[in-house]
Amino acid sequence: MKKELVIVLDFGGQYNQLIARRIRECNVYCEVHPYTLGLEEIRDMNPKGIVFTGGPNSVYAEESPRYQKEIFDLGIPILGICYGSQLMAYMLGGTVKTAPVSEFGKTEVDIDRSSFLFGDVESKSICWMSHTDYIAEAPAGFTVTATTPVCPVAAMECPERKLYATQFHPEVMHTVEGSKMLYNFVYKVCGCHGDWQMSSFVDDTIHSIRETVGSGKVLCALSGGVDSSVAAVLLSKAIGRQLTCVFVDHGLLRKNEGDEVEEVFGPDGPYDLNFVRVNAQERFYGKLAGVTEPEEKRKIIGEEFIRVFEEEAQKIGAVDFLVQGTIYPDVIESGLGKSAVIKSHHNVGGLPDCVDFKEIIEPLRLLFKDEVRRAGRELGIPEYLVSRQPFPGPGLGIRIIGEVTAEKVKIVQDADFIYREEIARAGIKDLGQYFAALTNMRSVGVMGDERTYDYAVALRAVNTSDFMTAECSDIPFEVLQKVMNRIINEVKGVNRVMYDLTSKPPGTIEFE
Ligand code: XMP
């Protein structure tokens, strides 16, 4: 049976995938398409509703993205958001003007609660505004359903034609009742029943992987992180032993991690696939010997990773497809392009050039991280893999300040293991990312009447929602003290433990 579908037409806004995700949270399948999607294609897709997104343009600019007017005659409900609302007004004969000053940020909006869109919404609701142009006059046949002191048409609608528009962004968290509004749009305006679950995503993806791959051979670079693990299991369920996963153990993983990955994906694990573990620890340590500069370390680890993977891929021979665990935020990040490079992030994004393959498969491309975790749980992947915190591609290499050696790796692994164990024991759950790092500082201490001259370990824990900014977490002092005690007693080579209070900015989350 064909599932209900809502499509988001992308006019260049920042939050477009977020709209899709909010609608999927309402159990209605939603996909983002560029605004160049043809009218016939839309008709063929037979969506229950369409959303026009925001975008940076003004409807009056020559080059601004438009759509043909006939879309309004399809009889499919449309919700225009921000630029999308202005486009709707402009194309249907309303007036759009440029304000002398922008309206930006959380804004109290007066709401007409009799609108389908605003059922159960408070009559004064906080919404997120971000615009300079505004609708000065709604088109004929439309009623105004929300206003602010500076925005005469904060929302408008023509229920007979099922056309709705909001100047504010219901998809962002700052619009307090935004999810309710999107829910109202898909259920009350579009008439959806909500037939989509994460299990449908899993089933549909497995089905479409089978169709795409046929009898082809597939190669996957498995890191043991959430994204590549979920991608690998989806592939394994779809095509079994046509899939080979190569797991490069660069010796910079957390304690026991390499073995844990092998337990799940190796021959004794529950999945049907070919698994190759490459123990390349010595090779990486050799390349890193004497190197202290952080960017150089990153570059060496990234390049060596590609070399090792390339050698393994050559043993396997030509493959038809390469799997990448790209998720939606990676797509946005790689699309930004112009922002300054603070750290050159290394992940499998660098692989395609070196492997002989025909096509890339990215089964998680449309999902956000928490959706990937839900898909992982749906697939029965062990919780410790699914709920894992982010771990950088260069691994402990950038958590050891200065030169990386096997001895230092062992110290940071043991300290980090104790830290994670105590956090779990204390039942602290809401941390964004936390880990131990090894500073390059040695200091004098005293232990059992003996002088020591050992390393200082730094503990880091941050709360963050997007990893672009972060605040130091308020971990109870007793927990920190316990961790300190255990590290100093149990980890040889450490005589001092510090807690890093720095937020980001000015710091970064990792130490290098
Ligand atoms: P920073 O240190 O830049 O970290 O504040 C932000 C987030 O990115 C992760 N990170 C990396 N991930 N390769 C990765 O795949 C890298 O080189 C890298 N450097 C930092 C970091 O763990 C945090 O989640």
Side-chain angles (χ1 to χ4, degrees):
M1 205 185 71
K2 198 127 177 56
K3 290 207 172 53
E4 293 170 342
L5 168 72
V6 169
I7 59 176
V8 172
L9 276 192
D10 181 352
F11 288 97
Q14 291 173 59
Y15 309 122
N16 304 342
Q17 272 295 340
L18 203 52
I19 303 171
R21 175 232 178 99
R22 294 275 176 256
I23 293 178
R24 293 197 294 259
E25 279 171 2
C26 301
N27 297 332
V28 172
Y29 187 60
C30 185
E31 280 177 2
V32 180
H33 290 273
Y35 73 93
T36 47
L37 185 73
L39 198 65
E40 272 315 303
E41 287 171 273
I42 294 184
R43 225 194 291 264
D44 290 347
M45 291 162 102
N46 191 23
K48 301 285 281 183
I50 300 172
V51 180
F52 287 3
T53 72
N57 300 71
S58 163
V59 287
Y60 290 111
E62 198 55 41
E63 70 288 358
S64 66
R66 308 257 166 87
Y67 204 88
Q68 39 195 132
K69 223 173 155 181
E70 289 72 22
I71 193 166
F72 297 116
D73 301 325
L74 290 176
I76 301 170
I78 300 178
L79 170 66
I81 296 176
C82 197
Y83 175 79
S85 74
Q86 295 160 11
L87 189 66
M88 185 185 284
Y90 172 72
M91 287 169 68
L92 294 174
T95 317
V96 175
K97 287 191 177 161
T98 302
V101 280
S102 306
E103 190 181 28
F104 183 81
K106 291 183 187 173
T107 309
E108 189 178 81
V109 177
D110 283 309
I111 297 276
D112 174 355
R113 306 180 68 208
S114 67
S115 161
F116 272 150
L117 200 60
F118 300 131
D120 298 329
V121 172
E122 298 292 325
S123 55
K124 285 190 185 299
S125 195
I126 299 294
C127 301
W128 181 256
M129 289 285 191
S130 173
H131 65 113
T132 309
D133 281 7
Y134 67 100
I135 303 171
E137 232 176 299
F142 275 72
T143 33
V144 174
T145 51
T147 55
T148 77
V150 298
C151 191
V153 188
M156 62 174 196
E157 66 186 39
C158 177
E160 298 76 31
R161 300 178 71 185
K162 300 186 190 151
L163 303 179
Y164 292 76
T166 63
Q167 180 55 66
F168 50 84
H169 289 269
E171 71 278 19
V172 304
M173 247 170 30
H174 307 301
T175 297
V176 177
E177 297 180 279
S179 291
K180 219 182 266 177
M181 298 171 193
L182 291 172
Y183 179 94
N184 288 339
F185 177 66
V186 294
Y187 282 86
K188 296 189 183 152
V189 177
C190 304
C192 292
H193 296 91
D195 61 1
W196 188 80
Q197 309 280 345
M198 192 44 87
S199 56
S200 330
F201 168 83
V202 165
D203 293 344
D204 293 351
T205 307
I206 290 175
H207 182 77
S208 82
I209 291 171
R210 272 189 201 130
E211 280 197 344
T212 312
V213 172
S215 57
K217 248 166 108 173
V218 183
L219 179 61
C220 172
L222 181 69
S223 70
V226 182
D227 308 337
S228 69
S229 298
V230 173
V233 172
L234 275 170
L235 262 295
S236 144
K237 299 241 175 189
I239 53 156
R241 287 191 179 255
Q242 285 163 253
L243 169 70
T244 301
C245 287
V246 173
F247 167 56
V248 177
D249 187 341
H250 52 20
L252 302 165
L253 297 169
R254 283 167 290 201
K255 188 168 173 169
N256 302 334
E257 200 161 56
D259 295 341
E260 283 170 7
V261 172
E262 186 168 347
E263 262 167 45
V264 175
F265 292 97
D268 299 329
Y271 302 114
D272 189 27
L273 52 90
N274 301 303
F275 175 79
V276 180
R277 173 174 178 175
V278 191
N279 288 314
Q281 294 87 335
E282 297 310 322
R283 206 170 142 163
F284 279 84
Y285 299 158
K287 288 277 174 188
L288 287 167
V291 182
T292 55
E293 210 282 313
E295 279 301 289
E296 203 184 337
K297 280 165 43 175
R298 267 199 167 73
K299 207 159 150 251
I300 290 173
I301 299 169
E303 281 175 3
E304 199 56 17
F305 187 89
I306 290 174
R307 293 292 86 76
V308 175
F309 189 82
E310 193 172 37
E311 286 168 23
E312 285 312 308
Q314 266 159 16
K315 287 184 204 159
I316 296 165
V319 292
D320 302 285
F321 301 92
L322 183 77
V323 184
Q324 296 213 289
T326 323
I327 67 169
Y328 186 67
D330 304 334
V331 178
I332 323 183
E333 268 178 31
S334 51
L336 285 178
K338 286 199 181 123
S339 47
V341 175
I342 309 292
K343 299 177 183 184
S344 53
H345 281 203
H346 141 71
N347 50 32
V348 287
L351 285 177
D353 287 349
C354 71
V355 180
D356 188 7
F357 69 99
K358 288 193 210 123
E359 235 181 273
I360 290 185
I361 304 183
E362 295 176 311
L364 310 174
R365 206 184 155 74
L366 294 179
L367 302 188
F368 285 81
K369 194 78 176 190
D370 56 320
E371 292 182 304
V372 176
R373 293 193 209 276
R374 275 167 57 205
R377 290 188 185 105
E378 197 64 50
L379 285 160
I381 301 176
E383 188 58 34
Y384 69 85
L385 273 187
V386 169
S387 59
R388 246 163 62 154
Q389 49 171 324
F391 187 65
L396 302 178
I398 56 168
R399 291 183 182 170
I400 294 170
I401 300 177
E403 188 187 7
V404 174
T405 63
E407 178 212 4
K408 286 183 179 173
V409 169
K410 169 107 177 66
I411 292 178
V412 77
Q413 276 179 338
D414 289 344
D416 182 68
F417 187 80
I418 291 171
Y419 187 27
R420 284 188 287 132
E421 202 166 60
E422 290 304 326
I423 292 283
R425 246 180 225 162
I428 304 173
K429 289 224 163 64
D430 50 355
L431 299 176
Q433 197 171 359
Y434 58 100
F435 54 86
L438 187 60
T439 73
N440 206 17
M441 183 193 85
R442 295 169 85 187
S443 66
V444 173
V446 55
M447 235 176 152
D449 298 334
E450 292 284 332
R451 175 187 188 270
T452 58
Y453 187 56
D454 282 332
Y455 284 111
V457 158
L459 304 178
R460 180 98 168 116
V462 293
N463 293 335
T464 174
S465 55
D466 54 10
F467 297 92
M468 305 294 284
T469 59
E471 291 291 332
C472 163
S473 309
D474 187 7
I475 294 187
F477 197 60
E478 322 75 84
V479 178
L480 290 173
Q481 268 184 318
K482 187 146 187 224
V483 175
M484 175 275 294
N485 252 318
R486 279 195 59 197
I487 290 178
I488 286 177
N489 284 316
E490 296 173 36
V491 184
K492 205 164 161 288
V494 179
N495 67 354
R496 210 171 276 265
V497 175
M498 330 222 201
Y499 188 57
D500 183 358
L501 295 176
T502 323
S503 53
K504 172 184 179 174
T508 54
I509 295 176
E510 301 289 348
F511 281 70
E512 287 195 336

